[in-house]
Structure formats: C-alpha cells, structure tokens
Amino acid sequence: WAWGGGELAGSFVHAIGSSVVMVGSSVRSCRSQADGAAIRGFSGATVMVSGCEFTDVSSDGYGGALSGVGASLEVHDSNFTNCSSQVGGAISTADYVCSQTDPVVSHLLVDGCAFTACVATERGGAVSVTSGTASVTAARFEGCYAGRTG
C-alpha cells in the first residue's frame, strides 16, 4: 500500500470501537485538519501498525500520523519522518472521558520504531501520552522538537 498527496478534514482511517491492522504500508505527504492524518483510533478501537513508513504526514490537532483517544495503539518496526502536529508530532494518545465514572483508557506500545525530524508546536515532539499507559522500547529519536515540552 502507498497513500499520499491528500488533505482531508479527518483521517484516512477513523476507527470507532473497531480493529485496524496496517502492515507494510507507506503514507506520505498527507495532512488532516483534525487528529491523526493516517489513523485515528477512538473509543475502544484497537490499532496495530507494523513495518510502515510515515513521511511528511501532519495534522492540525493531536498526532501527526497516528492518534488514539480511548484506544489501544501498537506500533512495531515503523519509521516516522518529518511528521508534525500541535501535540505529538508523530503519535498522540489520551483517555476518552465521556463521563467522570467511566473513562476509556488509552494504551500505547511502540517497539523498534524510528522518529526523525518530527515536530509538535506545543508538546511531545515525536510522541505525546496525555493519559493512559505507554511502553516504548528499542526506539530511535533524532532531531525531534516540541515548542513547549517533550
């Protein structure tokens, strides 16, 4: 798969409470006016990405390439180059809180990924975890930048 050259109001894939698997794909030169230009997992969604390339991918919100709100994101052996957003230049996760008593917790696993020249105007140059759990192993970060923190 290779996706590229688009600008959307939202993500290429918007998963609500469903499962998405992306393997060996390339996403480049894409932009979203919302969160996660490639994939936005929401409210119980499960997203698994493996062996993918994200280049020049950006959003105006959270997570330039991938965004999870009350979702589980697993990202393996993938590269993020020149991704950007307001929060989490490449990836952003946060819990989904519809009511104070029943939040949907986000989970992030990043393994064997490389982040190069990713930028967030506010926080999390490459990755932002606002709430929930996160595990990052065997990752490489090079030339990433956040305007405020992270």
Side-chain angles (χ1 to χ4, degrees):
W1 275 88
W3 295 324
E7 180 172 337
L8 302 172
S11 310
F12 273 116
V13 177
H14 185 101
I16 301 174
S18 56
S19 296
V20 175
V21 176
M22 178 186 278
V23 178
S25 300
S26 176
V27 179
R28 58 186 170 272
S29 301
C30 296
R31 182 176 172 277
S32 169
Q33 295 173 351
D35 303 333
I39 300 174
R40 182 178 190 232
F42 189 78
S43 189
T46 301
V47 176
M48 198 281 287
V49 173
S50 182
C52 294
E53 301 277 338
F54 299 89
T55 306
D56 299 321
V57 179
S58 65
S59 78
D60 291 343
Y62 289 70
L66 307 174
S67 173
V69 179
S72 292
L73 274 68
E74 282 192 28
V75 187
H76 301 275
D77 304 315
S78 296
N79 297 316
F80 298 83
T81 304
N82 200 35
C83 294
S84 63
S85 70
Q86 185 178 11
V87 175
I91 302 172
S92 177
T93 62
D95 293 349
Y96 174 66
V97 181
C98 184
S99 71
Q100 294 298 331
T101 59
D102 195 23
V104 181
V105 177
S106 280
H107 304 281
L108 174 64
L109 170 67
V110 174
D111 180 50
C113 296
F115 300 86
T116 306
C118 294
V119 176
T121 55
E122 288 191 19
R123 62 185 185 274
V127 177
S128 174
V129 179
T130 301
S131 53
T133 63
S135 174
V136 178
T137 57
R140 180 176 54 89
F141 300 88
E142 186 176 329
C144 297
Y145 171 81
R148 293 188 184 190
T149 59

